[in-house]
Amino acid sequence: MLEIKNISKTFNPGTINEKKVFSDFSLTVKDSEFVTIIGANGAGKSTLFNAISGTFFTDSGTILLDGKNITLMSEYKRSRRIGRLFQDPMLGTAPGMTIEENLALAAGRGGWFSTLNRQDRERFKEKLSELGMGLEDKLTKPVGLLSGGQRQALTLMMATINPPDLLLLDEHTAALDPATAEKVLKITNDIVTKYNLTCLMVTHNMQSALDFGNRILMMDDGKVVFDACGEEKKNLKISDLLVLFRKGSGKALNTDRILLS
Ligand SMILES: Nc1ncnc2c1ncn2[C@@H]1O[C@H](COP(=O)(O)OP(=O)(O)OP(=O)(O)O)[C@@H](O)[C@H]1O
Ligand SMILES: [Mg+2]
């Protein structure tokens, strides 16, 4: 369970570039909740993920993960418990290393000398074939040669090979073509459901936000303006989201990156 209690964050305080992103922001995410997040540009979605991951420390408030206070834990230490994917497929893998070397590192089997054995390779192959991206025959190929979709699928597998306490997906399919994005979303859904992961997924595709997960949040200006789960979420349509966003934020959802279908 993730408990964010009353966090505040102001960037560049006291300067002309001062920007208050969060003021007394709280959010609780229960175990195995798969939360989709949509919101206006600059709403604070990525900043929320940065706060959770420890990219910076919040000015006040506390963050608990499975009951443990991680508010002042380093980003490096948090990364052992929190998996994260970004929009850019180039992040998250080491391009000069092979698929199996990347996987070995992710699985904690890497080191100065390779400790991979035949069983590891068989396990990796089996897991890779589940992705349906043809990666199982490319174990010894450098990751730099893979397509964006293959890399995101691999990054997802690396982030979940030891199931994390929390998985943060920040528009991880936004840079992919529509068919590949759909495939990677399906893989995402399969993995999150199979391992009962607690997951937050930011997307600018409203239909994906409705189709995936069991809870939906809409964010604007550092606040959650709408929050629904279960049956209430299931019954929502895109037109409802547009109305609810206007109700919660007092303005229309900006549409430069938001995809309506
Ligand atoms: N390190 C930083 N220094 C200064 N301002 C920042 C910093 N990080 C984020 N911000 C500001 O915080 C606000 C929220 O940004 P954030 O990237 O979280 O938005 P977002 O909801 O992820 O938007 P998008 O949909 O465009 O990805 C923006 O105004 C941004 O400029
Ligand atoms: Mg963002």
Side-chain angles (χ1 to χ4, degrees):
M1 182 156 87
L2 172 70
E3 294 163 274
I4 299 171
K5 297 181 185 169
N6 313 98
I7 61 165
S8 297
K9 181 67 190 177
T10 301
F11 290 108
N12 311 310
T15 73
I16 191 164
N17 293 320
E18 179 169 307
K19 170 78 195 170
K20 179 178 273 195
V21 186
F22 291 113
S23 175
D24 211 18
F25 178 94
S26 297
L27 175 71
T28 299
V29 181
K30 290 191 215 124
D31 284 343
S32 305
E33 257 182 345
F34 182 1
V35 187
T36 56
I37 304 178
I38 53 174
N41 296 122
K45 305 178 296 292
S46 299
T47 307
L48 174 64
F49 282 11
N50 285 338
I52 298 169
S53 310
T55 310
F56 56 74
F57 290 150
T58 55
D59 302 330
S60 56
T62 48
I63 303 176
L64 304 177
L65 185 58
D66 292 343
K68 187 174 167 62
N69 191 334
I70 60 165
T71 316
L72 296 174
M73 190 187 271
S74 70
E75 180 169 31
Y76 168 72
K77 273 199 176 154
R78 287 189 219 191
S79 71
R80 293 186 196 147
R81 311 178 59 194
I82 301 174
R84 191 171 184 190
L85 264 76
F86 299 87
Q87 185 170 329
D88 185 352
M90 298 304 160
L91 298 172
T93 45
M97 291 167 70
T98 65
I99 291 184
E100 67 176 22
E101 284 167 345
N102 271 276
L103 283 170
L105 276 180
R109 302 300 304 273
W112 190 246
F113 297 105
S114 171
T115 52
L116 277 190
N117 55 33
R118 186 196 294 257
Q119 270 156 311
D120 290 323
R121 289 203 172 86
E122 282 312 309
R123 181 162 75 101
F124 291 163
K125 265 195 170 172
E126 194 184 307
K127 281 191 155 262
L128 286 169
S129 67
E130 283 172 15
L131 301 178
M133 288 268 183
L135 292 174
E136 60 277 16
D137 305 321
K138 297 194 167 71
L139 273 181
T140 54
K141 292 271 182 310
V143 165
L145 298 181
L146 304 181
S147 71
Q150 286 175 324
R151 277 176 87 146
Q152 284 305 64
L154 178 65
T155 308
L156 191 61
M157 199 183 126
M158 287 169 61
T160 55
I161 198 159
N162 298 320
D165 296 336
L166 181 66
L167 181 63
L168 302 175
L169 308 171
D170 196 350
E171 305 200 47
H172 69 306
T173 62
L176 308 176
D177 66 81
T180 310
E182 196 174 314
K183 210 166 173 188
V184 173
L185 272 176
K186 189 186 170 299
I187 294 170
T188 304
N189 193 48
D190 289 349
I191 291 179
V192 171
T193 333
K194 182 172 173 190
Y195 298 107
N196 276 320
L197 297 179
T198 311
C199 175
L200 299 179
M201 179 174 88
V202 172
T203 173
H204 61 255
N205 186 314
M206 293 217 250
Q207 196 58 54
S208 302
L210 291 174
D211 290 346
F212 295 94
N214 43 32
R215 181 174 171 193
I216 184 168
L217 296 181
M218 280 199 275
M219 284 181 66
D220 180 54
D221 198 15
K223 293 175 205 65
V224 171
V225 296
F226 179 71
D227 182 352
C229 59
E231 284 305 306
E232 187 187 1
K233 174 178 188 285
K234 271 190 201 153
N235 294 327
L236 289 169
K237 294 185 291 296
I238 289 180
S239 53
D240 300 323
L241 293 183
L242 294 172
V243 172
L244 288 161
F245 186 86
R246 186 182 281 280
K247 241 189 212 167
S249 71
K251 60 176 185 256
L253 189 54
N254 60 4
T255 51
D256 59 335
R257 288 174 66 227
I258 298 278
L259 297 180
L260 296 176
S261 60

